[in-house]
Amino acid sequence: VTHALGPSWMFISFKLVEKWGIPRGDFYPALPASTRLVGRRFDGGAGCMEGEDALASGCVVENLGGNVTFELPASDFSNTTGGTEYRPVVTTVWSECPNHWILLGELTKYVSLSDKRFSPPECLSSGVSTNVTGAHGEHVEVWALQPVAEAAGGSEDSIKLIVVKKEVVIGASGSNTIVFESSGSISIDA
């Protein structure tokens, strides 16, 4: 867990002969049954393009449902040295805010929401914010997923997640706050 209260978890896998299912019980702290999760394999941020539908484009995948939440991929054994394969696959899983926003953090880093870089995200009424730490003048790209209702009054299944990327410049104090907000609220039938 990259923050004591969530919102992300990392799974590192290698030498898997077949896919490995991650059950909900492997998450700590325990996940509420209704928590929506998304996950992705590390690719240096290349798979997430600003403005795209995150699920349709493959930027992230949604939890599978049932007891198996996510699947870790089988190893392709392409980095075989002396009969072993130690090329890890880093899979990060994020949970959403009650307002359906998801802060992904720095997708160019293995640990996208490092507690050394980010304060625990704050879920706002129509967005999410966090404090970013770094060197004075440093430019940090931060990704989030913005919920957009496909139809007014739809269900949670009709919420698209749109990739949003912002840049924050670290101030003289060694930190700066970044805020992602929707221009309006989304309407969901519960």
Side-chain angles (χ1 to χ4, degrees), residues 1-70:
V1 177
T2 55
H3 282 291
L5 303 174
S8 70
W9 297 261
M10 291 181 65
F11 297 90
I12 301 171
S13 60
F14 57 93
K15 293 181 68 173
L16 293 179
V17 177
E18 57 189 46
K19 290 180 183 179
W20 184 270
I22 305 169
R24 291 185 77 81
D26 281 0
F27 287 82
Y28 180 84
L31 296 171
S34 62
T35 300
R36 182 181 192 184
L37 301 171
V38 297
R40 70 186 313 273
R41 291 180 184 91
F42 178 77
D43 67 357
C48 290
M49 302 303 293
E50 187 170 14
E52 288 188 349
D53 180 326
L55 294 169
S57 69
C59 168
V60 296
V61 295
E62 198 163 18
N63 52 307
L64 299 172
N67 188 41
V68 176
T69 305
F70 280 93

Side-chain angles (χ1 to χ4, degrees), residues 82-154:
T84 62
E85 196 270 297
Y86 289 104
R87 189 177 111 211
V89 175
V90 178
T91 303
T92 304
V93 176
W94 296 268
S95 63
E96 70 177 359
C97 284
N99 61 24
H100 306 290
W101 272 87
I102 300 173
L103 181 67
L104 300 177
E106 281 184 286
L107 295 184
T108 58
K109 307 292 186 193
Y110 277 115
V111 182
S112 65
L113 276 178
S114 168
D115 62 357
K116 302 293 186 219
R117 172 73 95 179
F118 297 95
S119 65
E122 181 182 349
C123 297
L124 309 171
S125 62
S126 62
V128 63
S129 71
T130 186
N131 196 47
V132 184
T133 302
H136 176 246
E138 180 181 7
H139 293 249
V140 181
E141 289 183 334
V142 182
W143 280 262
L145 301 180
Q146 177 181 359
V148 176
E150 291 189 75

